[in-house]
Amino acid sequence: MDTYDVVVVGGGPAGEVVADRTVRSGLTTVVVEADAVGGECSYCACVPSKALLRPGAARAEARSADGARQAVTAPLDPAHVLARRDRFTGHGDDTGQADWLDGAGIALVRGQGRLAGERRVEVTGADGVVRTLRARRAVVICTGTDPALPPVEGLDRIGVWTNRQATTADAVPGRLVVIGGGVVACEMATAWRSLGSAVTLLVRDQALLTGWEPCAGEEVTRGMSDLGVTIRFGVSAVRVARDETTRTVTVETDDGTALVCDEVLAAVGRRPRTADLGLETVGLPVGDWLPVDDTCRVTAVEGDWLYAVGDVNRRALLTHMAKYQARACAAAIAERAAGRPPAVTGGRQPWSAEADRFAVPQAVFTRPEVASVGLTERAAREAGLEVRTVEYRIDDVAGAALHADDYRGLAKLVVDEPRGVVVGCTLTGPMATELIHTATVAIVGEVPLERLWHAVPAFPTVSEVWLRLLEAYGL
């Protein structure tokens, strides 16, 4: 049996940050990882998806200014785009990230980790040998999620794509059917259409990005349609089959039509990676999400020893929020190890991950880009807030017109009227993903609008939209 202060199960972004922060606090820490150190984000999610999306966006940006447009006439080169993506992912080789762990003083044990009772983790290596790790202070679950598959007959027999295949494929499919209308569906439809695929999106709902402000889904719908993506709303796949001779796939839908394609991407959500984690040994339901408090301590287990960070706790399924939770969790573990139980009432401390309840930034790299942080108008009203909304066309800002001849974008603020602070913001258009952090700071800092008025944006920048929003509000 090997004993450490902290045992981290899962070596993705959340696990890496927890381990780094606990080691910096003087606690011995080991990371257990069955696959590649760095996790899904590094190899088949965030990083490769953005690498696939950026060349198309760069080409469109160049063509958005007269004078540059005439110089950019060729389509994207898929071979070079895929090669660039592979450089960012290292072809799936995790040597660099494993070496980083070693350099940071973090032990690495490769294998499938499972809880084996309080403060114990059993690790089954590739050779079948089981090693037992004991944690003096904490076990931290950072196992993330797996793609969820919709109940479509035959889907498990055709070699369906999930985000993993969609971000790592080594050839452009001639025809791609995407099932879903969320972030992954929209981004991958955009990426593969830019590379030449004929893409059809099957969306069960009547809009894209249904959890966002309606304007976000509307703008992405317009942008993808302009790009040549076929979007069918209110339609679901019911049956799929792959022809053994031609290798094409026939997708039957609930409106009686059939589509023939080369690949099918299912992008309908995520499920927790907890089915083979030994949860039953500590009295937790197998396969469930792991609810936590603001220090990421699992609330259904007695004591201060079991934590869950990142997607597996379902608070905010985003890499940057997983890292944020990891920083808070590591600080809380260090406080408890020093005999100072962190008081989380009211938040504000570095060991409280309170912001993932009210200030979660999201960035979608479609064309146009969309970004948001905080509450939508609907969510704010449902929460009982007295709100007022302000909208402004970003394309009416001088900096936006100079940035692109055909700039199109919208900004929407949700303001808590009694307090006079921003509680939500949604942006669409070029550079929306870079502009959103200003709103994040305003929301987290609870900056009064009267004070925000003194934060003067430079002329002529797209950021002048903030001045226009405040003027539209009446300041």
Side-chain angles (χ1 to χ4, degrees), residues 93-353:
D93 184 353
D94 72 346
T95 301
Q97 300 212 50
D99 287 347
W100 175 84
L101 288 181
D102 183 59
I106 302 164
L108 171 63
V109 175
R110 293 190 181 271
Q112 175 63 48
R114 299 176 183 85
L115 290 169
E118 183 173 340
R119 302 175 194 268
R120 292 174 186 264
V121 174
E122 290 183 348
V123 184
T124 304
D127 56 3
V129 174
V130 178
R131 178 176 175 180
T132 300
L133 306 176
R134 180 180 179 277
R136 296 187 191 93
R137 302 296 183 183
V139 174
V140 188
I141 305 300
C142 304
T143 50
T145 57
D146 286 314
L149 295 180
V152 178
E153 182 182 337
L155 201 62
D156 58 343
R157 298 191 295 273
I158 65 165
V160 64
W161 279 13
T162 64
N163 66 285
R164 295 167 184 171
Q165 292 76 25
T167 56
T168 60
D170 57 9
V172 179
R175 297 159 296 181
L176 175 66
V177 169
V178 181
I179 301 173
V183 173
V184 173
C186 292
E187 286 193 341
M188 289 297 92
T190 299
W192 288 108
R193 177 62 195 139
S194 298
L195 289 168
S197 289
V199 179
T200 300
L201 206 59
L202 301 181
V203 185
R204 179 185 60 186
D205 299 311
Q206 295 298 326
L208 300 177
L209 304 176
T210 53
W212 291 56
E213 294 283 6
C215 62
E218 291 165 3
E219 289 293 291
V220 172
T221 298
R222 179 195 59 79
M224 285 207 296
S225 297
D226 290 347
L227 193 60
V229 176
T230 299
I231 307 174
R232 300 181 61 188
F233 291 111
V235 176
S236 298
V238 294
R239 188 176 299 104
V240 297
R242 188 181 291 275
D243 187 286
E244 294 185 3
T245 302
T246 65
R247 303 306 298 162
T248 59
V249 178
T250 300
V251 181
E252 299 178 28
T253 63
D254 58 1
D255 66 353
T257 60
L259 304 171
V260 178
C261 62
D262 299 289
E263 301 294 347
V264 175
L265 164 61
V268 297
R270 311 289 294 181
R271 57 185 177 83
R273 193 178 295 162
T274 57
D276 189 22
L277 197 56
L279 296 183
E280 68 281 1
T281 69
V282 294
L284 295 174
V286 174
D288 274 11
W289 303 93
L290 298 175
V292 298
D293 65 14
D294 283 351
T295 67
C296 293
R297 182 183 61 84
V298 176
T299 54
V301 174
E302 292 185 0
D304 295 328
W305 68 273
L306 185 61
Y307 298 78
V309 175
D311 290 5
V312 73
N313 65 32
R314 209 182 193 180
R315 285 170 67 117
L317 277 67
L318 296 159
T319 297
H320 46 281
M321 298 312 294
K323 292 180 178 182
Y324 164 70
Q325 291 176 8
R327 295 190 293 270
C329 177
I333 291 171
E335 283 292 296
R336 288 177 172 133
R340 299 187 296 267
V344 298
T345 303
R348 307 286 181 186
Q349 304 92 340
W351 50 79
S352 174

Side-chain angles (χ1 to χ4, degrees), residues 23 38 46 50 70 102 105 118 171 214 220 228 272 292 359 369 414 424 445 471:
V23 164
C46 313
K50 304 315 172 281
Q70 291 75 10
D102 183 59
E118 183 173 340
V220 172
V292 298
E369 294 179 352
V414 181
E471 288 176 339

Side-chain angles (χ1 to χ4, degrees), residues 427-468:
L427 305 172
T428 76
M431 297 174 60
T433 57
E434 296 296 335
L435 291 170
I436 198 63
H437 191 61
T438 300
T440 303
V441 173
I443 292 172
V444 173
E446 298 179 319
V447 182
L449 294 184
E450 290 84 356
R451 188 64 185 164
L452 199 59
W453 184 82
H454 294 281
V456 182
F459 177 86
T461 64
V462 182
S463 293
E464 272 202 303
V465 69
W466 278 94
L467 173 59
R468 304 306 172 208

